[in-house]
Amino acid sequence: MHPGGFLEVITGPMFAGKTTELIKRVERQIFAKRKAALFKPAIDNRYSEKEVVAHNGLRYEAFVVPTTEEGVERIKEVTLTEGYEVIGIDEVQFFPLSIVKTLNELADRGIYVIASGLNLDFKADPFPVTKELLVRADNIVYLTAVCTVCGKPATRSQRLIDGKPAPRDSPVIHVGGRESYEARCREHHIVP
């Protein structure tokens, strides 16, 4: 399908279906008899230690790697040693910036790379890794969710602490699900 390699980025807010889309795309490649693998960050153990799991319950076995330089190197090493033609990386925003160069190199070597990650943090600032991948992508899949307040298309992730919007000085990285986040439109996204 992509003989010269291809870098695809799936992005959007929480609850937009990014992981579901990632799994679907990797599965299609496997049905086409291409050797494919999924990678996930070790810090994301919300639903499973060893699988990429979407909020809707769809799951797929994955290589679990730390969100460090060693983790980025492991993605490259496993991909090349095992001869994967297609790789998917979930929650790419958690990895160091060096992952951008690595995924770009893998695509240059003929590998179909699919990276899935959040567009913005809870303050509506771009995640550096996602931003850098987007400008290098051969294809971008931008998904929206549904605003929990008004039902309009949501492009932002609202972090909640005890049901209230998280203050601006809260830590940027906080792994969570429906108990900590809601999808919101521009109008109803609040950062006190």
Side-chain angles (χ1 to χ4, degrees):
M1 180 178 163
H2 303 292
F6 200 74
L7 175 59
E8 188 160 46
V9 179
I10 302 166
T11 192
M14 297 275 296
F15 312 114
K18 295 179 305 298
T19 300
T20 302
E21 189 62 34
L22 175 67
I23 293 170
K24 277 177 21 185
R25 285 169 184 265
V26 169
E27 270 191 329
R28 273 200 317 244
Q29 295 297 318
I30 291 169
F31 291 145
K33 298 182 175 32
R34 300 193 73 213
K35 192 170 179 184
L38 275 174
F39 294 87
K40 73 175 258 179
I43 61 167
D44 183 8
N45 57 5
R46 288 174 290 188
Y47 304 112
S48 168
E49 295 286 338
K50 293 182 162 52
E51 297 167 306
V52 167
V53 183
H55 295 293
N56 66 5
L58 184 65
R59 52 185 60 229
Y60 214 88
E61 198 173 323
F63 288 98
V64 180
V65 292
T67 53
T68 59
E69 297 299 334
E70 290 74 31
V72 172
E73 197 49 46
R74 176 134 171 77
I75 291 171
K76 184 177 180 178
E77 180 188 310
V78 168
T79 301
L80 297 174
T81 341
E82 297 297 321
Y84 286 110
E85 300 167 275
V86 179
I87 60 164
I89 297 89
D90 197 35
E91 303 293 357
V92 74
Q93 76 278 354
F94 291 144
F95 288 96
L97 213 45
S98 62
I99 197 162
V100 175
K101 183 174 184 269
T102 298
L103 297 183
N104 212 34
E105 277 176 23
L106 291 172
D108 286 346
R109 291 177 107 148
I111 294 159
Y112 177 19
V113 177
I114 311 162
S116 171
L118 287 168
N119 55 344
L120 305 168
D121 65 23
F122 79 98
K123 297 180 274 193
D125 292 330
F127 274 103
V129 167
T130 310
K131 182 173 81 173
E132 289 298 319
L133 280 171
L134 287 171
V135 297
R136 289 168 175 79
D138 297 299
N139 188 47
I140 297 167
V141 179
Y142 196 101
L143 302 173
T144 57
V146 176
C147 180
T148 56
V149 177
C150 69
K152 287 184 196 156
T155 56
R156 291 149 196 253
S157 303
Q158 178 73 62
R159 180 174 312 152
L160 302 171
I161 298 174
D162 298 324
K164 306 234 181 309
R168 182 169 285 285
D169 60 359
S170 302
V172 170
I173 303 295
H174 172 79
V175 178
R178 293 187 197 287
E179 78 291 341
S180 307
Y181 291 95
E182 286 182 348
R184 297 275 180 98
C185 67
R186 178 181 292 271
E187 182 185 349
H188 292 110
H189 181 257
I190 302 162
V191 185

